Amino acid sequence: MSVSHEALWSIGELAERAAATVKTVRFYSDRGLLPEAGRSGGGHRRYGPEALERLRLIRSLRALDLPLPEVRRILDDEEAAGPALEDAVAGRLRDLGSQLRALRWREAALRLVQECPPGERAERVRLLGAVAGRPSTDAPARFWRGWLPARMPARATAAFLEVAVPQPPAEPAPEQVLAFARLHAMTSSPCPAGAQPRPDVHRVAGPGGAAVLYTGLAEAYELTGPQLRRERTPRPGEALDAYVAAYASAYGTRDTRDFRRRLAGLLAAEPRLDRYWELAAVVISAPGGRPEPTPGAADGWLRAALDTDNAGAA
């Protein structure tokens, strides 16, 4: 249906009806987002009522901070509230969530700098600068990839990294940001000269036994979690049996008393990553709450349980 010339508006009239500026109308019109109903005798643009509704929709979408390409897709959708709008809103929410997480981390980092003694501020700025914006787990993941046995199956590696690398919380307390920054610095620093990337007690298993060992250790650590949460004294039981079985299977031997004594000696001679696990526990635990079990805490509990078991059998 055609629209009479009297029902058409100039660019200024459309802007006035929409409570917008002429510059705004011209901007959207030049980009093909506002339909022209015709031209005046002098070649000036004329708009009908549909342009007013379209302009109001465009401005509403832009008020939600949707970018122009998304606005165009929504306008091209046959249904104004259809899939294009749903996808655009979901995408924008994801972007905002990411930005909010970055801002929360930056705020906590700034508070840590503000509240520390003046003489420590320069050092803390350097420490926090690497994680204050968008904290990344790349450094801890690289650290563990160097620690894990070579040619370990990808699935087993991914499963171990999932429990060993703490994920930064979305709404961190200042102490969690500081712990994550220290963890990042620790795992980013080069290994001391002559240091081995992984313990000999794991190296003995070789590439073939690596997946068996780490799969079994993951099961043992999971069984130890309830013991740690209840603060139970290390003792023999199902968790320790799974722990010893993981090593025995990887070594191609049986779980015997002699093997348990040998394993205890091997484990006692290995360096510990206590500091790593202490920091990881702070990162993943609720502020002011009880520390969440980590693989390191579970391993320490199981080593103590193994010593208790061997002492009881002596």
Side-chain angles (χ1 to χ4, degrees):
M1 181 176 65
S2 61
V3 181
S4 67
H5 180 73
E6 290 76 11
L8 300 181
W9 306 315
S10 68
I11 192 170
E13 290 170 332
L14 175 60
E16 183 179 359
R17 289 173 181 269
T21 65
V22 171
K23 183 179 179 180
T24 296
V25 177
R26 184 175 289 111
F27 176 83
Y28 293 130
S29 186
D30 288 344
R31 280 153 183 78
L33 298 178
L34 281 178
E36 295 179 19
R39 293 271 177 162
S40 68
H44 298 292
R45 298 166 178 168
R46 291 291 183 263
Y47 300 91
E50 68 278 5
L52 178 59
E53 293 303 316
R54 175 70 69 94
L55 181 56
R56 286 171 174 165
L57 176 58
I58 292 171
R59 298 187 73 200
S60 295
L61 294 171
R62 293 292 286 158
L64 294 174
D65 204 25
L66 295 179
L68 278 178
E70 295 291 346
V71 171
R72 185 182 299 278
R73 278 192 284 273
I74 294 168
L75 295 176
D76 291 342
D77 198 353
E78 292 183 1
E79 184 181 354
L85 176 59
E86 183 177 351
D87 291 345
V89 170
R92 190 64 190 130
L93 284 172
R94 286 192 297 271
D95 292 343
L96 285 173
S98 178
Q99 293 172 27
L100 287 171
R101 285 192 294 273
L103 287 172
R104 292 185 188 108
W105 272 79
R106 189 170 293 121
E107 178 186 23
L110 288 170
R111 290 189 183 281
L112 285 166
V113 173
Q114 182 183 49
E115 295 168 3
C116 77
E120 300 177 11
R121 283 179 183 159
E123 180 182 359
R124 186 160 290 190
V125 165
R126 287 192 294 270
L127 178 67
L128 294 168
V131 300
R134 294 179 180 272
S136 169
T137 57
D138 289 348
R142 282 195 301 269
F143 171 84
W144 282 112
R145 289 184 186 279
W147 178 282
L148 297 173
R151 299 186 299 279
M152 182 169 163
R155 182 175 296 180
T157 298
F160 183 83
L161 292 177
E162 185 175 351
V163 298
V165 177
Q167 296 300 314
E171 299 186 18
E175 60 266 26
Q176 290 176 298
V177 174
L178 185 59
F180 190 85
R182 287 173 172 159
L183 198 67
H184 183 277
M186 173 185 174
T187 53
S188 299
S189 302
C191 292
Q196 297 294 332
R198 61 183 181 276
D200 287 336
V201 71
H202 291 180
R203 189 189 304 275
V204 172
V212 174
L213 174 60
Y214 281 91
T215 300
L217 289 178
E219 178 184 352
Y221 295 158
E222 184 176 355
L223 292 171
T224 309
Q227 311 296 328
L228 291 168
R229 291 187 180 93
R230 295 169 187 153
E231 299 182 345
R232 288 183 173 171
T233 302
R235 57 188 175 183
E238 183 183 11
L240 178 60
D241 291 344
Y243 185 67
V244 176
Y247 282 102
S249 298
Y251 288 11
T253 187
R254 294 182 302 110
D255 177 4
T256 65
R257 178 54 56 193
D258 285 343
F259 178 75
R260 290 196 175 206
R261 292 194 182 97
R262 176 187 164 212
L263 178 61
L266 291 171
L267 292 170
E270 290 295 348
R272 299 291 301 274
L273 289 173
D274 292 341
R275 182 56 174 160
Y276 179 96
W277 298 118
E278 288 171 3
L279 295 171
V282 175
V283 172
I284 64 176
S285 299
R290 181 178 299 173
E292 281 295 311
T294 65
D299 197 79
W301 191 96
L302 289 163
R303 289 191 192 199
L306 180 59
D307 291 340
T308 299
D309 183 47
N310 285 332

